[in-house]
Amino acid sequence: MLRVAVIGSGPSGVYTAQSLVEQQAVPDMEVYVLDRLPCPYGLVRYGVAPDHEKIKSLQGTLRRVLEHPRVRFLGNVEVGTADLGLEKLREIFHAVVFCVGAATDRHLGVPGEELPGSHPATEFVAWYSAHPDAAAIRFTLAARSALVVGVGNVAVDVARILARGAAELAATDMPDGPLGALADSRVEDVWMIGRRGPSQAKFTTKELRELATLPGAEVRVLPEELALDPAYRDPGALPAAARRNVEVLRGWAEPPASEPTATAAAASEPTAAAEASRRRRIHLRFFLRPVEMLGDAASGVRAVRFERTTPDGLGGVVGTGVFEDIEAQLVLRSVGYRGTPQAGLPFDEKRGTVPHLAGRVLLPDGTPYPGAYVAGWIKRGPTGVIGTNRPCAKETAMSLLEDAAALAGREVADDPVEALRQAGQQPVPWTGWLGIEAAEAAWGHQLGRGTVKLPDWERLLGAAGSTGAAGTPSTGAPDGRSEGAAR
């Protein structure tokens, strides 16, 4: 028998578990998927925007893996504590696969970045996604102008949520706190700004096009700014994804005279809800590099100063010495992510990843760390889409299976769950997660909506049966309106 721990229940972790149990080389293998949260699915639950229901439906695929007879989900297990480091895990499991993602935002490194009103975009995402770590955060959205630094899919998600009407989001699992804040939002202008050109933007074409379909919102681009990109006039040589992005932006900037633009079409037939709400403008800007956030500690950020950039001919940009200030009382930084060191594992500070060979963790001398593996972003860096995790996970699983005979010869604890409890953990099993699902469905029914997420640790663990009656949330309205700094 080979017992494997997979740390993380997002796509990379679940795909790793799937790759392991689908192989017949070790038919008596047991895979324990451990997660710090009492809920599975990782960023599919807490990172995918609530209005992207098709992507969120991937939870059904992940669920089938976690319900496999030889896979066991254990939530509320925090790896890396003094009592549950890698060596302790290796006393419980024959092998450990870390699938922990890239947990921290990259900083801009500009003066004023820490002013009130300036936040990592992931903090905003955690708030509207009801991540329990964000229960004390509250965005009031009193800003008239909100600015997103970055042109990736997370930046597009954030800009879209800021520009959407709350009525459109009522059918999602977003808690009442964020939903109410969006209903009361005073945001009129949403800016999304990149330091390079449209051909180098990281958003997908589907996400980009969606901005032009929002009722009551208008997308604006500057043709002369887009034309600074050498590939703008003739994008034929670009990779397919970049070419499609440029073609969409060209269509918005240079519409045929006989046809309405995508933005005009989106704004010309607003819904009744959109008519009653404040109209919003989404500005897409390029070749602008943030150099300073303007404001003070008392009143917060009031504008961002950008320097105009120009292509350097080598795929990058250089500053021109020309500056522009853009008003913003809310700034969300979305310029990439970085892995964090894992207790007991070597770490490449420059890349933000764990050194490995085909998923096998490598010690400083270049030899494999027995029984330690990585998959996902902590293995390859924050690149790719959800589907990229499949081949990444399979490669790691194949390496582990090649080592199976040597790994299985080591003695481990008889009862993994009891061993985790002795290490100070209170694991939430799959039945606990089912209790959370039932509680969220019941709460949504009480609100006259569909399923609505429980937004904090106390209610999640209460629903799981760890701190209260299984299947029922603890007392108090789980609407996300807990005390915290207003945003």
Side-chain angles (χ1 to χ4, degrees):
M1 186 271 292
L2 184 69
R3 187 182 297 147
V4 179
V6 173
I7 314 302
S9 65
S12 63
V14 176
Y15 291 153
T16 298
Q18 182 180 31
S19 295
L20 288 170
V21 297
E22 282 183 347
Q23 303 302 314
Q24 299 303 312
V26 188
D28 58 347
M29 177 187 296
E30 295 178 353
V31 179
Y32 288 73
V33 179
L34 312 182
D35 203 292
R36 185 178 69 88
L37 299 174
C39 312
Y41 311 137
L43 286 179
V44 177
R45 175 175 168 91
Y46 287 120
V48 174
D51 59 339
H52 276 182
E53 295 182 1
K54 184 175 181 180
I55 302 175
K56 291 180 77 68
S57 68
L58 177 63
Q59 292 182 20
T61 301
L62 303 182
R63 184 190 194 98
R64 287 191 288 275
V65 176
L66 294 175
E67 290 180 333
H68 189 281
R70 290 191 284 129
V71 177
R72 187 168 182 179
F73 170 77
L74 293 175
N76 197 39
V77 175
E78 185 168 6
V79 171
T81 65
D83 295 324
L84 192 60
L86 178 56
E87 288 308 308
K88 183 63 177 180
L89 286 169
R90 293 182 73 248
E91 294 176 9
I92 304 172
F93 302 96
H94 294 103
V96 183
V97 187
F98 289 83
C99 306
V100 292
T104 60
D105 294 83
R106 293 186 182 275
H107 291 272
L108 296 175
V110 302
E113 186 171 5
E114 303 305 324
L115 284 172
S118 170
H119 309 278
T122 48
E123 190 173 276
F124 187 72
V125 171
W127 170 72
Y128 69 61
S129 297
H131 194 293
D133 289 347
I137 295 172
R138 183 170 58 192
F139 286 83
T140 62
L141 303 184
R144 190 196 69 77
S145 178
L147 190 152
V148 185
V149 181
V151 283
N153 276 345
V154 173
V156 177
D157 279 349
V158 168
R160 189 183 67 254
I161 293 295
L162 284 167
R164 264 204 190 283
E168 304 167 66
L169 295 166
T172 73
D173 59 8
M174 183 182 288
D176 275 10
L179 197 63
L182 288 166
D184 296 336
S185 172
R186 297 172 59 188
V187 173
E188 296 178 355
D189 289 282
V190 179
W191 303 80
M192 189 170 69
I193 300 179
R195 64 183 178 88
R196 298 195 290 179
S199 67
Q200 296 166 312
K202 299 301 183 183
F203 44 62
T204 58
T205 308
K206 180 178 182 296
E207 295 260 2
L208 178 64
R209 285 179 175 146
E210 193 173 0
L211 293 176
T213 68
L214 305 180
E218 174 190 4
V219 179
R220 295 183 176 183
V221 297
L222 297 179
E224 64 274 18
E225 192 170 71
L226 299 178
L228 295 174
D229 192 322
Y232 177 66
R233 293 297 176 189
D234 183 12
L238 292 172
R243 183 182 70 249
R244 289 192 294 266
N245 287 342
V246 171
E247 288 170 349
V248 169
L249 291 165
R250 286 179 63 185
W252 292 347
E254 304 167 358
S258 60
E259 299 180 14
T261 67
T263 53
S268 61
E269 299 180 2
T271 64
E275 285 284 5
S277 67
R278 188 186 303 273
R279 298 184 65 80
R280 294 179 172 91
R281 297 170 292 273
I282 305 172
H283 308 263
L284 301 184
R285 301 289 305 275
F286 299 93
F287 292 111
L288 291 172
R289 177 169 62 195
V291 295
E292 185 178 3
M293 294 193 190
L294 307 176
D296 55 62
S299 58
V301 65
R302 58 178 175 80
V304 181
R305 177 161 296 164
F306 291 89
E307 181 182 17
R308 169 66 66 195
T309 62
T310 189
D312 63 4
L314 301 172
V317 293
V318 295
T320 64
V322 177
F323 298 90
E324 176 181 351
D325 294 351
I326 297 179
E327 175 196 348
Q329 300 82 38
L330 174 64
V331 178
L332 300 170
R333 313 181 302 269
S334 181
V335 291
Y337 308 95
R338 177 180 172 81
T340 56
Q342 302 300 304
L345 290 181
F347 189 72
D348 184 333
E349 288 287 350
K350 184 177 181 180
R351 294 172 52 87
T353 58
V354 171
H356 72 93
L357 179 63
R360 294 181 180 92
V361 173
L362 295 180
L363 293 166
D365 64 2
T367 59
Y369 191 132
Y373 302 83
V374 286
W377 279 4
I378 198 64
K379 171 185 175 183
R380 67 181 190 273
T383 61
V385 295
I386 289 175
T388 311
N389 289 295
R390 280 192 179 275
C392 173
K394 185 174 182 179
E395 178 188 57
T396 296
M398 293 302 100
S399 293
L400 192 156
L401 291 171
E402 289 173 7
D403 303 339
L407 294 171
R410 187 167 51 81
E411 291 188 8
V412 294
D414 292 332
D415 185 341
V417 177
E418 180 57 31
L420 290 170
R421 290 196 181 104
Q422 291 178 5
Q425 305 295 315
Q426 294 181 306
V428 169
W430 186 252
T431 52
W433 161 239
L434 297 181
I436 292 172
E437 279 192 318
E440 292 184 336
W443 182 247
H445 180 73
Q446 291 180 43
L447 296 174
R449 298 170 55 194
T451 294
V452 175
K453 287 179 183 172
L454 301 178
D456 59 66
W457 281 95
E458 180 182 359
R459 295 181 179 93
L460 287 169
L461 293 176
S466 297
T467 60
T472 59
S474 55
T475 58
D479 62 357
R481 295 183 186 268
S482 53
E483 291 300 320
R487 265 63 174 179

